[in-house]
Amino acid sequence: MSQSHLLDRIVILGGGTAGWMAAAALGNVLQGTRTKVTLVESEEIGTVGVGEATIPPIISFNAMLGIDEDTFVRETNATFKLGIEFVDWLEKGHSYIHPFGDFGRDFDAIPFYQYWIHRALAGKKDDLFSYALMVEAAKAGKFMRPLTDRPQSALSGINYAFQFDAALYARFLRRFSEAKGVERIEGKVARGEQDGESGHVAALMLEDEQRIEGDFFIDCSGFRGLLIEQALATGYEDWREHLPCDRALAVPSESNGFPIPYTRATAREAGWQWRIPLQHRTGNGYVYCSEYLDDEKARETLLGNLDGKALAEPRLLRFMTGKRKRVWNGNVLALGLAAGFMEPLESTSIHLIQTSLARLLTHFPDKRFNPADIAAFNARTDREYERVRDFLVLHYTATRRDDTPFWRHCQTIARSPDLARRIAQFEASGRIYEETGDVFGTASWLAVMHGQGIEAKGANPLIAKLPIERIDSVIEQIGGTIRHAVESMPTHEDFIRKNCAAEGLPPP
Ligand code: FAD
């Protein structure tokens, strides 16, 4: 390929989580090449400042960058996350944990949960969640990394993510990126200047008259979408008919005891409240639908349901669930909140930044910006967003709550044909498959379907050939192995204090 087509300058607009993740990933792969990476951000505008819970693939993002995990945990005041507890989602007084990791252990090429369903249909129904190592470890406040060198051990199946301070994460990635040669420019962008012929963005025009030229722009300007929308008018798909929440109030509070290794999402009158425990404080927020609740009532509910003293005034954030019609348009790729937002219920936004970056590396452009590559990128992104949307919708529609207008409305939300098919298949035969574009695997779908009260009425008929006593004894043995494994794990507190305690962690 002719060198003249190679990108000379990539400009990232925005220094929130999306901007600095992009800078870190691109700085890392482009270090020492002719392609220069510049990030422009405005401290005056600031970042959205939330986004503190993640899902397990972030481990591979850190690994790709060569980041030492203990250093990362220490410097971002992070804790480990084994799953999400959903409180009052099915009905008031009910709760379950969606764990990161499998249920039981598959045998004879049939998934464990199929045996469990068969046994339950035969009259022996116990708690499916007690067969998930991450659920039991989370409830016991235990944590350790997986024993990857002992594949036969139940402890090899440990799977986790992090809960961290979003501002410290951006700072951490900034140090990393600058060390890789990324240039940072402080300034407020007034607009994107477009090339009259191609319509591509040619430069960022700053309020102080600086002009920053680039070949490729990554719009990480947050909800504003300064380039993707304000310059290119790409258009936005409004998904509020699927995901109706449109506001959040966020507030940090003092820790109450040592942080637990999971996030909690408690259903409230017109939405849900998050609780994300970090080493130095707890992050809280109420995500709600403004059609059913006013801001003052939401504020009262949030402040009335904190475990510790509030450390600031709650901050109001307005959003519209949905995504850009094309996240990559011409020479602009939108990333993070500029690309879309599906509300934080399953902590997917940071993950979607990561997968978009991975896709960018496989569809890396040159100055010709091949439309077929861009179309392929957009199609794959659309699929992924739709899969996540379906997974989130599942939580809202499969509820028995009818105690408020909001929850009654949730019961009427239409399920996409894909979601309806997946639920119908599970109900009929207890089968769940991972499908193209899925962010969440079968264990996650199982956890939420089962947790939300969807019951399977059948299981793989091959199982019926086995004597029920044999199934019983294997399942009980697996339960015993899990309990034993959890007992042998250190506490989350001991693990953190020994390996990665942050400066802000109060003494025992
Ligand atoms: P922002 O943080 O808004 O950053 C935008 C950047 O652009 C800033 O640096 C700003 O200064 C810059 N900028 C904007 N305009 C200009 C301009 N004119 N000139 C110069 N610079 C400019 N995600 C998760 O994965 N887990 C969670 O638990 C989670 N919780 C969330 C809770 C809520 C209520 C919300 C709203 C989001 C949550 N998210 C979560 C999403 C997560 O916060 C974002 O995906 C993530 O922070 C990325 O944001 P961003 O970088 O795209 O935007």
Side-chain angles (χ1 to χ4, degrees):
M1 187 208 290
S2 154
Q3 292 283 312
S4 63
H5 293 307
L6 296 180
L7 300 180
D8 289 310
R9 194 174 191 188
I10 300 176
V11 180
I12 300 167
L13 167 53
T17 304
W20 285 114
M21 281 177 80
L26 293 175
N28 195 43
V29 293
L30 295 170
Q31 189 180 24
T33 69
R34 67 181 252 184
T35 310
K36 196 172 158 197
V37 182
T38 302
L39 183 146
V40 185
E41 69 172 319
S42 158
E43 272 177 19
E44 197 189 316
I45 294 176
T47 65
V48 73
V50 280
E52 306 194 315
T54 58
I55 56 175
I58 192 164
I59 294 172
S60 55
F61 185 71
N62 284 344
M64 179 192 86
L65 299 179
I67 288 173
D68 173 67
E69 202 173 276
D70 284 341
T71 308
F72 158 78
V73 169
R74 201 176 298 119
E75 293 193 15
T76 59
N77 268 320
T79 54
F80 295 92
K81 175 181 172 189
L82 297 173
I84 305 177
E85 182 182 25
F86 291 94
V87 179
D88 294 345
W89 278 80
L90 175 61
E91 53 200 8
K92 277 193 171 173
H94 177 271
S95 75
Y96 66 95
I97 293 180
H98 161 199
F100 297 149
D102 284 336
F103 285 78
R105 181 168 276 221
D106 301 350
F107 51 103
D108 295 342
I110 295 177
F112 170 85
Y113 62 85
Q114 286 267 332
Y115 294 96
W116 184 91
I117 291 168
H118 175 83
R119 186 166 157 266
L121 292 171
K124 189 151 188 196
K125 188 172 183 183
D126 58 2
D127 180 12
L128 174 64
F129 288 99
S130 69
Y131 297 98
L133 177 64
M134 301 304 100
V135 170
E136 293 300 296
K139 288 200 309 204
K142 300 280 187 95
F143 178 76
M144 64 185 274
R145 295 201 174 97
L147 297 181
T148 44
D149 55 345
R150 285 173 48 196
Q152 289 310 315
S153 163
L155 296 171
S156 66
I158 292 174
N159 202 13
Y160 62 95
F162 310 100
Q163 306 169 122
F164 53 61
D165 182 317
L168 296 181
Y169 185 51
R171 248 176 266 163
F172 181 86
L173 290 179
R174 175 177 165 186
R175 283 194 297 278
F176 176 92
S177 308
E178 287 180 331
K180 296 279 179 188
V182 173
E183 173 199 28
R184 174 188 179 275
I185 295 176
E186 169 67 34
K188 228 178 185 179
V189 175
R191 63 188 174 87
E193 180 194 285
Q194 280 169 269
D195 178 273
E197 215 174 294
S198 65
H200 282 189
V201 171
L204 300 182
M205 304 301 297
L206 271 56
E207 283 187 353
D208 65 5
E209 311 278 292
Q210 265 192 89
R211 183 173 181 278
I212 299 167
E213 283 183 16
D215 305 312
F216 181 44
F217 292 82
I218 305 189
D219 186 350
C220 303
S221 63
F223 290 126
R224 295 169 186 80
L226 208 88
L227 301 180
I228 196 80
E229 202 58 57
Q230 292 182 21
L232 300 183
T234 303
Y236 192 79
E237 282 176 29
D238 178 349
W239 282 358
R240 281 175 297 181
E241 68 180 286
H242 308 287
L243 296 168
C245 290
D246 59 356
R247 286 191 192 181
L249 279 163
V251 69
S253 68
E254 279 178 359
S255 303
N256 173 13
F258 196 84
I260 52 175
Y262 57 95
T263 296
R264 181 173 294 144
T266 305
R268 300 258 180 249
E269 180 187 339
W272 60 279
Q273 180 171 339
W274 79 75
R275 181 186 185 279
I276 302 177
L278 310 182
Q279 289 198 34
H280 60 316
R281 63 165 169 80
T282 301
N284 311 274
Y286 187 0
V287 177
Y288 56 99
C289 178
S290 62
E291 217 180 302
Y292 296 95
L293 193 72
D294 65 52
D295 299 338
E296 189 43 41
K297 187 91 189 293
R299 185 179 172 279
E300 272 169 31
T301 304
L302 175 63
L303 293 176
N305 285 287
L306 301 179
D307 293 345
K309 197 174 133 213
L311 295 172
E313 258 304 297
R315 193 168 151 227
L316 179 66
L317 297 145
R318 291 185 172 82
F319 56 85
M320 185 198 287
T321 54
K323 63 173 280 295
R324 295 285 160 219
K325 289 189 172 147
R326 283 175 292 158
V327 298
W328 188 336
N329 185 357
N331 69 337
V332 173
L333 170 66
L335 204 62
L337 298 173
F341 184 55
M342 280 183 282
E343 78 134 273
L345 187 58
E346 284 278 359
S347 322
T348 43
S349 297
I350 293 172
H351 176 74
L352 292 171
I353 297 170
Q354 179 185 337
T355 51
S356 268
L357 284 169
R359 256 194 302 281
L360 171 61
L361 298 185
T362 53
H363 294 70
F364 202 73
D366 62 24
K367 286 180 187 168
R368 292 169 292 188
F369 292 99
N370 178 0
D373 284 335
I374 295 175
F377 182 102
N378 284 332
R380 291 175 64 193
T381 306
D382 289 352
R383 190 89 190 124
E384 191 176 50
Y385 268 73
E386 284 159 13
R387 292 286 191 219
V388 170
R389 183 195 65 197
D390 283 356
F391 189 59
L392 299 181
V393 167
L394 171 65
H395 298 65
Y396 282 100
T397 62
T399 180
R400 293 185 195 140
R401 284 192 64 159
D402 58 3
D403 53 308
T404 68
F406 173 78
W407 288 106
R408 286 195 287 279
H409 169 71
C410 287
Q411 291 193 0
T412 69
I413 293 174
R415 294 170 177 169
S416 74
D418 277 349
L419 178 59
R421 172 183 49 75
R422 288 177 105 146
I423 293 175
Q425 185 162 19
F426 179 69
E427 281 176 328
S429 62
R431 290 194 169 99
I432 304 173
Y433 306 104
E434 194 162 328
E435 300 186 8
T436 311
D438 266 344
V439 165
F440 293 96
T442 51
S444 295
W445 280 91
L446 172 67
V448 178
M449 290 217 223
H450 186 73
Q452 292 295 141
I454 297 173
E455 289 189 15
K457 297 178 191 73
N460 190 328
L462 279 177
I463 298 173
K465 289 185 169 178
L466 296 174
I468 193 78
E469 300 75 32
R470 174 165 142 67
I471 297 174
D472 232 13
S473 102
V474 176
I475 289 185
E476 275 167 25
Q477 200 186 330
I478 289 173
T481 306
I482 286 172
R483 282 191 294 282
H484 184 69
V486 171
E487 274 164 25
S488 72
M489 291 170 71
T491 65
H492 186 224
E493 173 163 10
D494 285 348
F495 188 91
I496 286 186
R497 288 201 190 279
K498 186 166 169 221
N499 300 293
C500 41
E503 270 180 33
L505 178 67

